[in-house]
Amino acid sequence: MGDKLIIREIEFRSRLWVGTGKYKDFEETRRAVEASGADVVTVAVRRMNIVDRKSENLLDYIDPKKYKILPNTAGCYSVEDALRYARLAREAGISDLIKLEVIGDEKTLFPDTCGLLKATGILAKEGAIVLPYTNDDPIMAKRLEDAGAAAVMPLGAPIGSGLGIRNPYNIKIILETVKLPVIVDAGVGTASDAAIAMELGCDAVLINTGIAGAKDPVAMAEAMKHAVLAGRLAYKAGRIPKKLYATASSPIEGML
């Protein structure tokens, strides 16, 4: 489509990013990632064996030469834990990119935004390319930008809920508030949810459960790929205004 997603001078081919949790095995993960067309694959440093290469692990199936590996700090409930695993990923040479999560509650898995802001500032000063997972809060998005975030990743709905974009108006305000790329993360359940996120003007969508939890993850991965492409193209094309009453599709001027 002639436009590229660039974050800190890193160029991304696809605006669909995918997670690697919840698949039945590594082979299914590989097939779904391939079908998605994504070039960014996120992995949990805490839960996945990506540092110790002595045993079978995800990187035996997802080629780091083909995909950009995005380590994340999923499962971290404190600033200290998030910093530890983010630094571990960098020290292991996986990537300077880090999807930063500091979770505040076990039931809702909503972010601890105070801790997230603190950890973002620390990692950004250390040279990491920080992509913080946050609430759909425009004020926090701006504060994360000021702290040195390279992009902001607001949730569309709670992690794994599949509820879709619950508050599109907040997402639109975030898009107006920050000058960073905005990547919707969490809550996307099906292709139409991904398309809506892109039609709002978001720069990318990160999806894990919506693909891995589908009856046919590989088919859903391909559906998400087309949805993201369609949503982005529709956003660039510019939708017609919504009107209360009908408008004739054929002009009546000059008709007999």
Side-chain angles (χ1 to χ4, degrees):
M1 291 182 285
D3 65 331
K4 298 176 180 178
L5 173 58
I6 299 175
I7 300 176
R8 295 283 170 86
E9 301 182 353
I10 301 173
E11 184 177 311
F12 299 88
R13 183 184 71 250
S14 173
R15 291 176 183 270
L16 171 60
W17 297 7
V18 294
T20 53
K22 302 184 179 180
Y23 291 94
K24 67 179 182 181
D25 54 35
F26 286 145
E27 176 58 24
E28 184 179 70
T29 307
R30 182 196 65 77
R31 292 173 56 229
V33 170
E34 187 173 289
S36 75
D39 61 340
V40 175
V41 177
T42 183
V43 296
V45 181
R46 185 166 183 166
R47 296 172 183 158
M48 300 296 290
N49 180 19
I50 59 174
V51 178
D52 180 7
R53 299 307 310 275
K54 296 178 182 178
S55 57
E56 183 183 47
N57 67 66
L58 181 67
L59 298 187
D60 294 323
Y61 294 81
I62 304 297
D63 185 355
K65 295 179 181 178
K66 182 178 179 181
Y67 300 99
K68 295 179 177 67
I69 305 300
L70 175 60
N72 71 59
T73 59
C76 293
Y77 286 81
S78 69
V79 172
E80 293 73 22
D81 274 355
L83 292 175
R84 181 181 303 113
Y85 286 103
R87 289 164 176 161
L88 177 62
R90 293 190 72 199
E91 290 168 5
I94 297 169
S95 179
D96 284 333
L97 290 163
I98 185 74
K99 179 194 167 189
L100 182 63
E101 298 184 31
V102 182
I103 302 301
D105 176 68
E106 289 187 13
K107 183 176 182 180
T108 64
L109 299 181
F110 284 141
D112 172 359
T113 52
C114 292
L116 181 69
L117 183 62
K118 181 178 179 180
T120 296
I122 292 170
L123 289 172
K125 288 179 180 177
E126 293 177 358
I129 302 172
V130 187
L131 313 176
Y133 162 70
T134 184
N135 289 330
D136 56 350
D137 178 354
I139 305 303
M140 181 53 62
K142 179 59 180 173
R143 289 180 177 171
L144 290 166
E145 179 180 39
D146 293 342
V152 291
M153 304 183 74
L155 55 81
I159 292 173
S161 67
L163 290 172
I165 312 300
R166 291 294 82 201
N167 198 335
Y169 306 103
N170 274 24
I171 299 294
K172 291 189 74 170
I173 295 171
I174 290 173
L175 288 163
E176 295 174 359
T177 301
V178 302
K179 297 179 180 178
L180 301 175
V182 175
I183 303 166
V184 165
D185 180 16
V188 171
T190 191
S192 58
D193 299 333
I196 288 170
M198 298 307 295
E199 288 174 7
L200 288 171
C202 294
D203 295 277
V205 179
L206 180 93
I207 306 172
N208 191 123
T209 308
I211 295 175
K215 292 182 179 178
D216 185 338
V218 177
M220 183 61 80
E222 185 173 0
M224 294 295 191
K225 174 179 70 175
H226 293 301
V228 168
L229 288 170
R232 179 65 180 177
L233 188 57
Y235 168 73
K236 292 186 66 183
R239 66 161 294 143
I240 63 171
K242 294 181 180 180
K243 297 180 180 180
L244 182 61
Y245 296 104
T247 301
S249 57
S250 299
I252 61 174
E253 291 80 5
M255 296 181 66
L256 296 178

